[in-house]
Amino acid sequence: MLRVRPIHFTSRLQRWGQLLTDLGLVKTMDRGEWVEFDAGSGRVALHFAAQGSAEDGTTAFGVEVGDLTEFARRTNLAGAATGGTTAELIQADHGPSCRVTGQDKFSFLADPATRAADGTWATSPDADPALAASIMWITPDSAAARQDLANIGARPRVSSDSGDWADFTAKNGGRIGVHIGGVVTAGPLGFEYDGDLATLLDRLTAAGHAAHIVDESYGRTLHVANPDFADLPENPTGPTIWILERQTDLYGYTEG
């Protein structure tokens, strides 16, 4: 079991909760300083951070797994055979977890997933089925990161012929991108939409969000105002959250 679940740290939980709801996510857990939202594919967690703290406005790359011990065993077995992905069972501040470290030394946590009320790993049926939560791994060594993601069970979907971009999906929901960059880091929180972006744009603007569609070389993206930006213009994500249209034009790209 593998599901994408980025964690966004913010002092503006209410604003973020409203944006996620208007995007089509559904709140499934609220513990005050920790709130979870289900997308049609994947999940997003909001974690309160004090205003002005180093974490405020940042996003942590993260996934959920069904069985930590079995996940660590499989990841270490695959890593030993292919170049060095490691998975270490740890006791994090929030409880048992597993720290995954890639060949470029990028690390992230895999946390235990919770089952739905029907006993499956499904996200809420009330979430917009076209919307997927997305995380990004930025690295100078995309080939190694792609292998690391395969070692944790992510599935390759599309990659650029130039080698500077690769796109993976998680079995139980969500999307992971690998992008060439000079510094090893996690990218910003984002989403993918497998539907009509114009309809989503209308929904967001009707709810009072500043948003617009941009035509990119590989397709369209919807840009919506980042709830952190007005109070925190130096936040790592910048002024907008990107929702990418599901890519259908594969010129310069290869499936799988």
Side-chain angles (χ1 to χ4, degrees):
M1 185 274 172
L2 181 71
R3 175 163 51 221
V4 167
R5 192 211 58 196
I7 304 170
H8 187 71
F9 295 84
T10 181
S11 58
R12 292 153 288 275
L13 289 178
Q14 185 174 0
R15 290 187 218 168
W16 265 98
Q18 189 60 59
L19 172 59
L20 295 182
T21 299
D22 294 338
L23 275 171
L25 289 88
V26 173
K27 185 192 295 185
T28 54
M29 180 186 295
D30 189 342
R31 294 178 177 169
E33 295 192 349
W34 175 273
V35 190
E36 291 184 1
F37 290 80
D38 281 2
S41 178
R43 178 173 286 161
V44 175
L46 299 179
H47 194 306
F48 177 75
Q51 188 165 5
S53 66
E55 288 185 323
D56 194 14
T58 66
T59 301
F61 187 110
V63 298
E64 295 182 332
V65 298
D67 184 307
L68 289 176
T69 301
E70 181 61 13
F71 170 77
R73 185 191 70 80
R74 291 184 180 182
T75 299
N76 285 322
L77 187 64
T82 59
T85 319
T86 62
E88 177 190 6
L89 296 173
I90 64 169
Q91 189 69 26
D93 292 344
H94 56 274
S97 187
C98 181
R99 182 175 298 283
V100 178
T101 303
Q103 297 171 71
D104 62 2
K105 306 308 177 186
F106 179 67
S107 69
F108 58 91
L109 295 184
D111 287 331
T114 55
R115 292 184 184 272
D118 62 3
T120 70
W121 298 116
T123 54
S124 172
D126 298 322
D128 186 337
L131 190 71
S134 176
I135 51 180
M136 189 185 302
W137 184 335
I138 300 172
T139 177
D141 192 348
S142 66
R146 292 197 301 269
Q147 184 62 63
D148 293 327
L149 288 174
N151 289 346
I152 70 168
R155 300 169 172 176
R157 187 174 63 170
V158 174
S159 60
S160 65
D161 297 343
S162 65
D164 62 359
W165 171 258
D167 185 344
F168 286 73
T169 58
K171 177 182 178 181
N172 299 91
R175 172 182 168 277
I176 308 171
V178 176
H179 196 283
I180 284 284
V183 178
V184 176
T185 187
L189 173 64
F191 299 90
E192 180 184 80
Y193 202 67
D194 189 12
D196 183 4
L197 275 186
T199 299
L200 181 57
L201 173 63
D202 290 344
R203 188 165 82 211
L204 289 169
T205 54
H209 300 280
H212 62 279
I213 291 175
V214 176
D215 284 316
E216 310 281 1
S217 59
Y218 49 82
R220 299 187 304 169
T221 61
L222 193 159
H223 294 195
V224 59
N226 180 354
D228 293 319
F229 183 72
D231 297 336
L232 196 66
E234 300 302 318
N235 78 87
T237 299
T240 56
I241 307 298
W242 288 27
I243 298 96
L244 278 67
E245 188 174 47
R246 174 71 182 268
Q247 185 173 347
T248 56
D249 181 359
L250 295 179
Y251 180 78
Y253 293 81
T254 302
E255 288 187 297

